Amino acid sequence: MKKILLTGVSGQVGHALQQQLALELANEWQVVACDRHQLDLTQPDHIRRIVREIAPDLIINPAAYTAVDKAESERELAYAINAVAPGVLAEEAARLNAGLIHFSTDYVYDGTKHSAYVESDTVNPVSIYGASKLAGEEAIRQVGLPHLVLRTSWVYGSYGKNFLKTIIRLAKERENLRIVADQYGAPTSDAAIAKAVTELVTRWHQEDMTQSGVYHLVNSGEISWFGFASEIVAQYHALESVRGWPALAVKAVQPIATAEYPTPAKRPANSRLSTAKLEQTFGVTLPEWSIALNQVMAELAVAD
Ligand SMILES: NC(=O)c1ccc[n+]([C@@H]2O[C@H](COP(=O)([O-])OP(=O)(O)OC[C@H]3O[C@@H](n4cnc5c(N)ncnc54)[C@H](OP(=O)(O)O)[C@@H]3O)[C@@H](O)[C@H]2O)c1
């Protein structure tokens, strides 16, 4: 049986991937899933030792330093996990003739483009987090092994901490929510990512892991954070009586400008990513963002 080494299983994408791979590929792939205790990405020697012990055919690396604002004051740690570690994983994968699927972000772009970004567009991160993720992409490219770098955006799901969970919590506590309305992108569910990546594992491996490169992988469509929050509240209301969820306190979701919600890290105003390359190369498509949200909402527990 072929072996996958999966990192970051306590994270949103790692957790969803562990479930989806077990559901769909258990007959072909053994998945060795690691959290930070089993595989500490701040320790290059430790990474090398663990990868050699497991000897995978494919490494999937959703683990990352994802605290975008905190990264502005924790540059070294962000770079150790997001830039150095992916390069070490790539070197070790190359040694084993294995492939690497790695995740990156819309934050490698500065957001000044007026339409959806394509993979060949100029990158220009405006935050330490974005720069550290870009450095990770470059470290992988330099090793020159079979790889897919999947740039995704605005990740949320029923597991872990994310915008969806925060909005539901705040909507239970407050009558008014003020949400940024001048940043556009595609909210992308961890479940949709996991389903698409599981398809990619099969298709890419069948093609002898050619077609290395960067691909955008996001739910289709676009919305602002304000629009996303409004839809979360609307879908909650549609489900609350059926599911017996507690009533929300919120009466209004109000649009505000980024300037009214200052954060330590700058964020791109335009995070729209075209997925045409992923679709044309591998025939993989992801559902529209509000449909993906609906699927996640249907799985939310009352306690969420
Ligand atoms: N979240 C987003 O909105 C977003 C947007 C665009 C791109 N992405 C990218 O998508 C990928 C998946 O993101 P996600 O939302 O699933 O992230 P997440 O929920 O924050 O999970 C990150 C994972 O990385 C692990 N990790 C952190 N430091 C580590 C270390 N030193 N050693 C080993 N593991 C470590 C975490 O472990 P602990 O639980 O122990 O901390 C956690 O399992 C990442 O590459 C991220 O950069 C995310």
Side-chain angles (χ1 to χ4, degrees), residues 8 10-13 36 39-41 62-64 66 104 129 133 152 155:
S10 59
Q12 302 184 82
V13 172
R36 74 158 74 216
L39 180 61
D40 183 354
L41 293 182
T66 55
S104 189
Y129 167 74
K133 293 294 291 182
T152 189
V155 180

Side-chain angles (χ1 to χ4, degrees), residues 196-224:
V197 172
T198 302
E199 276 177 59
L200 274 177
V201 167
T202 303
R203 292 184 198 188
W204 188 48
H205 221 261
Q206 273 165 357
E207 293 178 14
D208 295 328
M209 299 194 293
T210 55
Q211 314 280 4
S212 284
V214 176
Y215 294 86
H216 293 161
L217 189 149
V218 292
N219 278 123
S220 66
E222 62 183 65
I223 192 74
S224 67

Side-chain angles (χ1 to χ4, degrees), residues 179-190:
I179 310 290
V180 170
D182 54 4
Q183 292 171 27
Y184 287 86
T188 301
S189 79
D190 53 7

Side-chain angles (χ1 to χ4, degrees), residues 11 84 117 175 215 282:
V84 178
Y117 281 94
E175 291 199 351
Y215 294 86
F282 295 110

Side-chain angles (χ1 to χ4, degrees), residues 6 130 164 177 182 186 271 295:
L6 175 65
L164 166 69
L177 298 183
D182 54 4
S271 277
Q295 287 162 353

